């Protein structure tokens, strides 16, 4: 029976980056993906500057993957009838088509020596001799020293791992992302040189967006799970396009998917012995913005670091992956969930974006220069300054 050092389930950004790093370190690595590649994942395709910096750090960045880069942002407050522009001195976000982007990362992993088994569905795992794990798919069986679950929000690896350690399997809380592509010529209300964000759009809608992608405009909404107002999510997306953007819902393509919300008490484990979870499978996504690619890359890097520290003879127990996650991911995602709850409860608070200095905090966040605690303190300070007349740059 074939034996690997690392087996990765899922060929999205988290799994592909883990494959690049593990194979690049000389570990015999296999990536298992149930769908034929390339495959499209429903996603807005926005990659923040801080995520691009992570890609550059591990030599997995190519400007040709992005179309376009954007340095201008339009913030829309439809209920207030106001729009504000932010302009950066360098791009704060790039946009990708997920089928092309994910495939480019998989080719990077293959170039490092990783084996990719596409169109092969992971079925399960069980402990084997000498600390190894037996992996079963719909086509074969093999052994691995470490198993990484990178198979998304509905992760099979996470579900089985929960059973193995005696926990009631419970998916992380989530919101629903609905998105699709419109032809650029059909949307004359939005400029294609900007990234567009819409806040306080409608009850149950966390935010909406319009992202430029070549000759198409990707448009979407994030819907609070459980809120449907008696309507199908597709109807809510159509309503956003027709009433807020004021364009016909003439879709070239549309879809949707769950975005995990990192709620610390509901995301209890990321590792048990030599099984690790990364990316959406671990519940890692920014609860307020929905950003997941940055945390896919970051958790893959932490998993690789833990794996290298745990190889010892024939046994491999990744070292301190849970601790690394607590220190470098939990501390970022926990405040993002608090932001999500705050604006869900007080949507009129988005009107604070009318103040130039407060909305100006968004770009440093996308570049990784400010985290949520500093954003909160700065926004609080600016808000008090405006309230008592010390600051007066409201537009």
């Amino acid at each position: 029976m074939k034996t690997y050092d690392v087996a990765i389930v899922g060929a999205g950004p988290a799994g592909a980056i883990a494959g690049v790093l593990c194979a690049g370190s000389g570990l015999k690595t296999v990536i298992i993906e149930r769908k034929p590649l390339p495959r499209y994942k429903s996603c807005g395709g926005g990659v923040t500057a801080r995520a691009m910096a992570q890609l550059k750090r591990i030599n997995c960045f190519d400007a040709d993957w992005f179309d376009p880069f954007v340095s201008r942002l339009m913030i829309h407050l439809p209920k207030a009838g106001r729009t504000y522009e932010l302009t950066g001195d360098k791009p704060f976000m790039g946009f990708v088509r997920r089928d092309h982007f994910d495939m480019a990362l998989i080719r990077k992993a293959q170039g490092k020596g990783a084996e990719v088994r596409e169109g092969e569905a992971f079925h399960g795992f069980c402990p084997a001799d000498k600390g190894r794990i037996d992996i079963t798919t719909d086509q074969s069986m093999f052994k691995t020293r470490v198993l990484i679950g990178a198979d998304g929000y509905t992760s099979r690896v996470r579900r089985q791992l929960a059973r193995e350690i005696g926990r009631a399997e419970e998916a992380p809380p989530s919101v629903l992302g609905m998105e699709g592509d419109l032809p650029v010529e059909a949307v004359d209300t939005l400029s294609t040189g900007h990234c567009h964000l819409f806040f306080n759009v409608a009850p149950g809608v966390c935010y909406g967006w319009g992202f430029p992608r070549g000759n198409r405009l990707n448009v979407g909404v994030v819907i609070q799970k459980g809120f449907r107002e008696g309507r199908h999510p597709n109807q809510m997306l159509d309503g956003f396009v027709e009433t807020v953007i004021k364009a016909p819902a003439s879709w070239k393509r549309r879809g949707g998917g769950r975005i995990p919300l990192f709620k610390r008490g509901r995301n209890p484990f990321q590792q048990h012995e030599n099984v690790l979870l990364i990316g959406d499978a671990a519940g890692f996504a920014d609860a307020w913005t929905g950003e997941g690619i940055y945390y896919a890359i970051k958790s893959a890097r932490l998993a690789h670091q833990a794996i290298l520290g745990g190889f010892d003879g024939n046994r491999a127990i990744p070292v301190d992956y849970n601790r690394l996650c607590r220190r470098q991911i939990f501390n970022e995602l926990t405040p993002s969930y608090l932001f999500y709850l705050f604006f869900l409860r007080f949507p009129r608070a988005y009107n604070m974006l009318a103040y130039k200095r407060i909305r100006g905090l968004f770009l440093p966040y996308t570049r990784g220069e400010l985290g949520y605690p500093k954003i909160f303190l700065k926004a609080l300070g600016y808000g008090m300054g405006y309230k008592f007349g010390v600051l007066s740059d409201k537009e």
Side-chain angles (χ1 to χ4, degrees):
M1 186 183 295
K2 203 166 186 178
T3 300
Y4 297 91
D5 293 319
V6 180
I8 302 163
V9 181
I17 293 295
V20 168
L21 296 173
C22 291
S25 297
L27 302 176
K28 189 176 181 181
T29 304
V30 62
I31 301 173
I32 309 161
E33 169 57 48
R34 66 184 178 88
K35 294 183 179 179
L37 298 173
R39 86 285 184 271
Y40 191 87
K41 181 183 186 298
S42 189
C43 176
V47 183
T48 59
R50 64 177 187 159
M52 288 189 276
Q54 293 270 325
L55 290 172
K56 291 175 182 177
R57 188 176 298 179
I58 57 176
N59 296 317
C60 275
F61 178 86
D62 189 328
D64 291 339
W65 299 345
F66 298 83
D67 181 22
F69 293 101
V70 174
S71 59
R72 293 184 294 171
L73 166 68
M74 297 295 287
I75 294 178
H76 302 262
L77 302 176
K79 290 189 175 181
R82 294 181 178 180
T83 299
Y84 304 96
E85 182 180 29
L86 286 175
T87 302
D89 55 354
K90 54 187 175 181
F92 68 89
M93 192 172 289
F95 296 96
V96 298
R97 287 188 60 85
R98 281 294 302 273
D99 48 353
H100 299 162
F101 180 67
D102 293 11
M103 194 65 213
L105 293 176
I106 283 294
R107 290 195 180 104
K108 283 278 188 181
Q110 289 175 313
K112 296 290 186 180
E115 179 184 339
V116 177
R117 299 185 177 206
E118 58 179 294
E120 186 168 345
F122 169 82
H123 278 186
F125 68 90
C126 66
D129 60 309
K130 298 181 180 179
R132 289 175 169 79
I133 300 171
D134 284 338
I135 303 293
T136 304
T137 73
D138 61 350
Q139 298 179 27
S140 63
M141 291 183 62
F142 55 88
K143 292 181 182 292
T144 184
R145 299 171 72 183
V146 175
L147 172 62
I148 297 178
D151 46 342
Y153 178 79
T154 59
S155 171
R156 282 193 172 192
V157 177
R158 186 189 65 241
R159 293 201 303 268
Q160 182 175 344
L161 183 58
R163 294 193 299 269
E164 293 288 332
I165 62 178
R167 294 179 183 263
E169 201 288 318
E170 186 175 9
S174 68
V175 289
L176 178 63
M178 297 296 299
E179 57 82 33
D181 292 333
L182 297 174
V184 167
E185 60 273 13
V187 187
D188 58 8
T189 56
L190 300 181
S191 64
T192 57
H194 292 80
C195 165
H196 299 267
L197 293 177
F198 299 79
F199 296 107
N200 196 14
V201 174
V205 175
C206 302
Y207 67 92
W209 74 81
F211 293 161
R213 270 200 324 212
N215 62 351
R216 299 186 181 187
L217 190 72
N218 183 264
V219 175
V221 289
V222 174
I223 303 169
Q224 179 191 0
K225 185 185 175 185
F227 185 93
R228 298 291 182 271
E229 204 182 38
R231 295 185 294 167
H232 190 278
N234 282 338
Q235 293 178 313
M236 297 183 75
L237 179 59
D238 289 346
F240 170 69
V241 172
E242 293 168 354
T243 63
V244 177
I245 295 181
K246 296 182 173 23
S250 51
W251 301 106
K252 293 288 186 181
R253 177 207 58 80
R254 70 175 172 182
R258 297 284 182 83
I259 302 172
L261 298 176
F262 184 83
K263 186 178 180 182
R264 197 160 188 155
R266 294 272 299 277
N267 296 67
F269 61 90
Q270 283 72 45
Q271 174 190 359
H272 179 66
E273 295 183 345
N274 49 349
V275 181
L276 289 72
L277 301 173
I278 62 176
D280 282 6
F284 292 157
D286 188 300
W288 189 54
T289 66
E291 181 183 13
I293 291 177
Y294 170 78
Y295 292 102
I297 300 166
K298 189 162 188 175
S299 58
R301 292 183 61 219
L302 296 182
H304 172 247
Q305 179 181 336
I307 289 168
L308 289 186
F311 268 81
D312 180 22
N314 289 325
R315 191 169 178 81
I317 301 295
V319 175
D320 289 337
Y321 177 63
N322 278 323
R323 180 179 61 82
L324 291 171
C325 288
R326 285 195 299 272
R327 289 187 176 182
Q328 300 190 41
I329 294 181
F330 286 23
N331 290 341
E332 296 178 12
L333 291 182
T334 298
S336 82
Y337 186 73
L338 298 178
F339 263 62
Y340 163 77
L341 292 179
F342 175 78
F343 283 101
L344 197 64
R345 178 67 180 84
F346 304 105
R348 293 183 64 183
Y350 281 117
N351 291 330
M352 291 189 299
L353 294 171
Y355 295 102
K356 184 176 180 180
R357 295 193 187 197
I358 291 179
R359 65 176 178 270
L361 298 173
F362 181 82
L363 297 186
Y365 166 77
T366 64
R367 293 193 291 259
E369 298 165 2
L370 283 180
Y372 280 110
K374 287 186 178 179
I375 289 175
F376 173 77
L377 291 174
K378 284 180 174 287
L380 180 63
Y382 292 151
M384 296 297 289
Y386 291 124
K387 180 176 177 63
F388 293 106
V390 178
L391 300 175
S392 58
D393 67 1
K394 185 176 181 180
E395 299 178 357

